[in-house]
Amino acid sequence: MNLVTFSGPPSSGKTAVILKTIEAIQQRGLKVGVVKFDCLYTDDDELYRKAGVPVKKGLSGSLCPDHYFVSNIEEVVQWGKERDLDLLITESAGLCNRCSPYIKDIKAICVIDNLSGINTPKKIGPMLKTADIVVITKGDIVSQAEREVFASRVSTVNPDAMVMNVNGLTGQGAFEFSTLLYDEEDHIETVTGKKLRFSMPSAMCSYCLGETRIGKEHQLGNVRKIELGDE
Amino acid sequence: MISKDKLKNLSINEIIEKYPYTEGFFEDQKLAVDDKDKSLKEIFSELTIEEMEDVVFDLDQFAGSLTSHIRNMQEFLGENDSIVGTLSIVAGKDKDGEWENYEKLDIKSGEIISIVGPTGSGKSRLLADIEWTAQGDTPTERQILINDEVPDKKWRFTGGKKLVAQLSQNMNFVMDLSVMEFLNLHAESRLIDNQEDVVERIFKEANQLAGEQFGRETQITSLSGGQSRALMIADTAILSSSPIILIDEIENAGINREKALELLVGEEKIVLMATHDPILALMGDKRIIINNGGIKDIIETTGEEKELMKELKVLDKVMTDLRDDLRYGNNLSRISDELAEIKTA
Ligand SMILES: Nc1nc2c(ncn2[C@@H]2O[C@H](COP(=O)(O)OP(=O)(O)OP(=O)(O)O)[C@@H](O)[C@H]2O)c(=O)[nH]1
Ligand SMILES: Nc1ncnc2c1ncn2[C@@H]1O[C@H](COP(=O)(O)OP(=O)(O)O)[C@@H](O)[C@H]1O
Ligand SMILES: [Mg+2]
Ligand SMILES: [Mg+2]
Ligand SMILES: [Zn+2]
Ligand SMILES: [Zn+2]
């Protein structure tokens, strides 16, 4: 089985791109399944189910979805293996700009859209910086110039990534993208022992751990103070 | 080629002096630099935990990323290798697996090719084959050659330089910028020398293509459909790094279509356009007929068709004038008795 991890900001087109890509991969006779990680709510599982794709979802609640991802990925891999999948895709809501669910030696894909603004690439941190492939969506609604400027910003933030345009609506580029996802030589039995590409925040703050009271004496761990200055 | 280890020992100022485009890189990477005369090594050794988290990479990864950026930019600036003299499409198979009945179609820079065929016939697939520089690895099994050679894989994956630029009907501007701010932003990302002249030229050309004039300070999001497309076309012709331009259905564009095409091919680009508009289709040097996923025929525009073009332009002018009359509140008058006698039902 191959394992591929997708992440990217909310509504950037992850599900749309994955669905179009799965169409192309299924035509090669391969069996694909998806697990979606989100915080509070998602109906992506319905979309995958409608397309006949085996799917599971996991909601992290008030936890960072990427922390939740690493705590569960081994079980998810075993789920995929039990179902004899050739390709297991995970889709993570990139809600936390501090973390990313990417694992060393496991293909990592970031989906980001042209509408999100040209400063987004530098805002979203490890999710973009440490991806192998960056897929840019929604090129159909912006001008050629905006596409060029956006793609060049993406490349500046992650100069080692392959950068591709895929249209989540028409599927333009999805066939081409699909050829990069599956490798016959790859066999993942387990991810136990593998490492994250980027360590999750070195310490949690007290609020991560359930503190609700406001005030200095309640702030423990990783606390950063805002700089308001004198002006 | 610069080595990663050498970079680690250079100061930010030294790196920027040698590779000016790295200034934006340091900004976008969010590396906290208090003194640009310090070396990368020193800067990294002094980062706090939070600053380390901001920059994501450690010294070695950062230097590696910087090396890749410099390599990308050097490639991007080396315009010579991106000149596309000839684009060739080598025959593949249609949806039934039958070989297409031509061998190889060569398209030279400055040529305009129209692509016609019913919906679902494979026009977009052909355009996608070109964009991907297909090597028998798409459903059509076609092969794309550039200057008679198998193209470098970089065309598929780089963020900076794509083989193909696209113009289509439903494109909009989404940035909150004025016309001039927008053009300057695009020009900056291309790292061109004579930015001011180029930007001014695009502005003028765009206004010549547009039916209605617009100003330098106009917000691009408030341009009309025709003005937007005029600006997009002029900008793509003059500033896009891509040697090939794909146009997907730009009829009813509210712009001077003939001038627009002239501008594009005048910049030595190859233009491929999927269209159902006879005027646009006949502006092509050739047209590709697509059906059932395959290229069925390649037709050179005939002498009679060139003559027909004159008549079509008259019809087009009549319609444009009527639209203008409507817009300015005039009463419309009849055109000719001959026309009135033609039965349309
Ligand atoms: N115009 C256009 N719309 C797109 C494109 N890709 C996705 N969309 C639309 O964008 C919206 C969000 O797409 P999704 O695929 O649900 O995005 P997502 O990243 O999976 O969203 P979450 O999982 O909720 O974070 C949907 O309405 C899609 O139809 C594209 O290339 N062009
Ligand atoms: N030669 C071919 N072999 C197999 N499938 C093809 C071929 N040509 C086109 N297709 C498929 O047919 C569908 C319709 O083609 P498309 O290019 O979108 O048509 P158009 O743009 O003309 O409406 C697409 O899914 C495309 O991948
Ligand atoms: Mg989704
Ligand atoms: Mg089409
Ligand atoms: Zn997190
Ligand atoms: Zn916290």
Side-chain angles (χ1 to χ4, degrees):
Chain A
M1 185 178 77
N2 279 201
L3 173 63
V4 178
T5 54
F6 278 74
S7 189
S11 298
S12 57
K14 299 178 290 295
T15 305
V17 167
I18 294 170
L19 281 170
K20 291 287 179 197
T21 309
I22 288 179
E23 271 176 40
I25 292 180
Q26 283 174 336
Q27 281 179 9
R28 290 156 67 188
L30 298 170
K31 195 168 167 201
V32 191
V34 179
V35 175
K36 169 72 195 272
F37 290 90
D38 216 314
C39 272
L40 297 173
Y41 174 80
T42 181
D43 49 15
D44 282 354
D45 49 327
E46 274 310 309
L47 296 173
Y48 289 116
R49 202 166 288 124
K50 255 191 222 151
V53 177
V55 59
K56 283 281 167 195
K57 70 173 161 186
L59 296 176
S60 65
S62 51
L63 264 187
C64 159
D66 297 328
H67 280 75
Y68 179 75
F69 171 93
V70 273
S71 317
N72 289 288
I73 184 64
E74 177 61 28
E75 286 81 350
V76 163
V77 167
Q78 296 315 319
W79 172 82
K81 286 198 57 71
E82 279 158 26
R83 265 144 206 85
D84 270 328
L85 300 182
D86 297 302
L87 173 63
L88 171 62
I89 292 176
T90 64
E91 176 188 341
S92 298
L95 288 164
C96 174
N97 288 345
R98 265 279 167 250
C99 306
S100 86
Y102 308 144
I103 300 168
K104 283 183 188 154
D105 307 321
I106 300 287
K107 210 163 278 166
I109 290 148
C110 178
V111 179
I112 178 171
D113 75 90
N114 273 300
L115 295 180
S116 61
I118 48 170
N119 288 320
T120 297
K122 66 177 166 193
K123 280 189 222 154
I124 61 175
M127 183 163 55
L128 175 62
K129 267 190 174 179
T130 63
D132 300 309
I133 305 176
V134 180
V135 170
I136 306 179
T137 58
K138 305 188 190 175
D140 53 325
I141 27 191
V142 306
S143 67
Q144 173 65 25
E146 285 162 298
R147 278 198 296 271
E148 287 182 20
V149 172
F150 194 81
S152 96
R153 294 281 168 105
V154 165
S155 270
T156 306
V157 173
N158 185 345
D160 289 307
M162 293 182 187
V163 179
M164 296 193 62
N165 292 293
V166 177
N167 186 315
L169 289 187
T170 64
Q172 188 182 358
F175 170 83
E176 288 77 3
F177 174 58
S178 77
T179 62
L180 306 174
L181 286 197
Y182 181 77
D183 184 348
E184 259 173 41
E185 307 289 306
D186 255 9
H187 299 288
I188 299 288
E189 300 294 328
T190 170
V191 288
T192 299
K194 288 196 183 289
K195 287 201 163 142
L196 285 171
R197 294 190 182 196
F198 179 61
S199 61
M200 306 223 163
S202 46
M204 300 258 220
C205 74
S206 42
Y207 298 103
C208 297
L209 302 172
E211 179 61 75
T212 52
R213 290 166 299 176
I214 298 171
K216 220 175 201 149
E217 68 257 43
H218 305 298
Q219 297 168 350
L220 298 167
N222 191 6
V223 177
R224 257 208 242 197
K225 303 303 279 188
I226 185 169
E227 279 175 46
L228 295 170
D230 295 330
E231 302 101 84
Chain B
M1 192 69 223
I2 23 105
S3 86
K4 205 158 73 166
D5 291 315
K6 232 186 211 159
L7 281 173
K8 290 180 193 168
N9 291 308
L10 293 180
S11 74
I12 304 287
N13 275 333
E14 285 167 327
I15 298 172
I16 292 179
E17 187 171 336
K18 218 165 162 192
Y19 311 105
Y21 41 80
T22 54
E23 197 165 357
F25 178 84
F26 289 116
E27 263 165 43
D28 284 6
Q29 292 290 336
K30 297 206 277 191
L31 177 63
V33 181
D34 57 347
D35 178 358
K36 289 192 168 179
D37 284 319
K38 285 185 185 163
S39 71
L40 273 181
K41 211 178 233 167
E42 285 171 287
I43 290 171
F44 267 87
S45 70
E46 291 166 11
L47 290 180
T48 64
I49 290 178
E50 285 84 15
E51 286 167 344
M52 281 288 263
E53 273 176 13
D54 278 340
V55 71
V56 176
F57 295 137
D58 63 23
L59 173 62
D60 198 57
Q61 290 169 318
F62 189 88
S65 192
L66 178 57
T67 317
S68 303
H69 178 66
I70 292 173
R71 190 197 52 224
N72 289 351
M73 295 313 273
Q74 284 176 336
E75 219 168 68
F76 184 70
L77 289 169
E79 295 285 335
N80 292 342
D81 60 343
S82 72
I83 292 173
V84 172
T86 321
L87 167 76
S88 309
I89 306 169
V90 182
K93 294 173 176 173
D94 69 12
K95 288 187 188 178
D96 299 329
E98 299 285 335
W99 285 99
E100 294 173 309
N101 60 2
Y102 70 101
E103 270 169 37
K104 180 161 161 273
L105 170 64
D106 293 328
I107 306 170
K108 300 228 158 16
S109 83
E111 270 192 313
I112 303 174
I113 306 291
S114 349
I115 302 172
V116 295
T119 303
S121 58
K123 300 186 291 294
S124 298
R125 184 64 255 165
L126 174 64
L127 297 180
D129 284 347
I130 294 170
E131 191 169 7
W132 186 241
T133 59
Q135 296 302 319
D137 55 355
T138 64
T140 64
E141 297 178 43
R142 289 189 191 110
Q143 189 187 24
I144 302 299
L145 301 176
I146 291 176
N147 302 331
D148 270 315
E149 284 173 35
V150 175
D152 192 317
K153 277 243 160 71
K154 75 169 186 218
W155 289 118
R156 290 186 172 187
F157 302 125
T158 52
K161 202 178 203 166
K162 297 275 181 201
L163 183 61
V164 162
Q166 286 207 33
L167 293 166
S168 69
Q169 190 83 275
N170 48 356
M171 284 180 347
N172 297 295
F173 288 116
V174 294
M175 290 180 188
D176 281 314
L177 296 173
S178 72
V179 170
M180 278 307 179
E181 285 168 339
F182 165 76
L183 290 176
N184 277 309
L185 180 73
H186 191 197
E188 271 157 31
S189 83
R190 292 291 325 282
L191 307 166
I192 52 168
D193 301 327
N194 46 344
Q195 182 166 333
E196 224 174 291
D197 299 343
V198 172
V199 162
E200 192 55 33
R201 197 178 138 223
I202 298 172
F203 175 73
K204 291 216 172 96
E205 295 279 7
N207 261 306
Q208 282 181 12
L209 298 182
E212 294 163 292
Q213 304 295 292
F214 55 90
R216 291 180 174 74
E217 300 312 318
T218 315
Q219 290 295 114
I220 50 175
T221 45
S222 63
L223 294 172
S224 73
Q227 289 169 330
S228 294
R229 271 185 291 272
L231 182 59
M232 281 179 202
I233 289 170
D235 170 83
T236 302
I238 297 168
L239 253 187
S240 173
S241 55
S242 308
I244 299 173
I245 298 188
L246 306 181
I247 299 180
D248 213 344
E249 323 260 331
I250 52 162
E251 33 255 298
N252 311 323
I255 55 161
N256 187 326
R257 287 166 289 184
E258 199 174 5
K259 268 199 202 139
L261 285 177
E262 265 168 27
L263 178 62
L264 289 169
V265 292
E267 297 294 321
E268 292 300 298
K269 308 243 180 208
I270 288 174
V271 178
L272 289 117
M273 96 193 135
T275 184
H276 301 130
D277 175 344
I279 295 193
L280 277 177
L282 294 184
M283 278 178 198
D285 301 289
K286 291 179 192 146
R287 62 184 186 275
I288 295 177
I289 318 293
I290 300 217
N291 211 337
N292 193 32
I295 294 182
K296 294 295 156 196
D297 206 355
I298 300 161
I299 302 179
E300 302 240 0
T301 307
T302 65
E304 174 162 1
E305 286 171 343
K306 291 247 157 78
E307 290 296 312
L308 169 64
M309 184 74 162
K310 289 184 195 153
E311 296 168 43
L312 289 176
K313 277 187 191 159
V314 174
L315 291 177
D316 197 45
K317 172 93 171 49
V318 168
M319 291 306 287
T320 312
D321 289 349
L322 286 173
R323 273 192 213 107
D324 280 347
D325 281 340
L326 263 182
R327 192 178 301 150
Y328 294 113
N330 302 332
N331 286 330
L332 307 184
S333 39
R334 288 202 41 215
I335 302 164
S336 84
D337 290 336
E338 265 171 81
L339 268 181
E341 272 158 31
I342 299 175
K343 290 212 169 60
T344 54

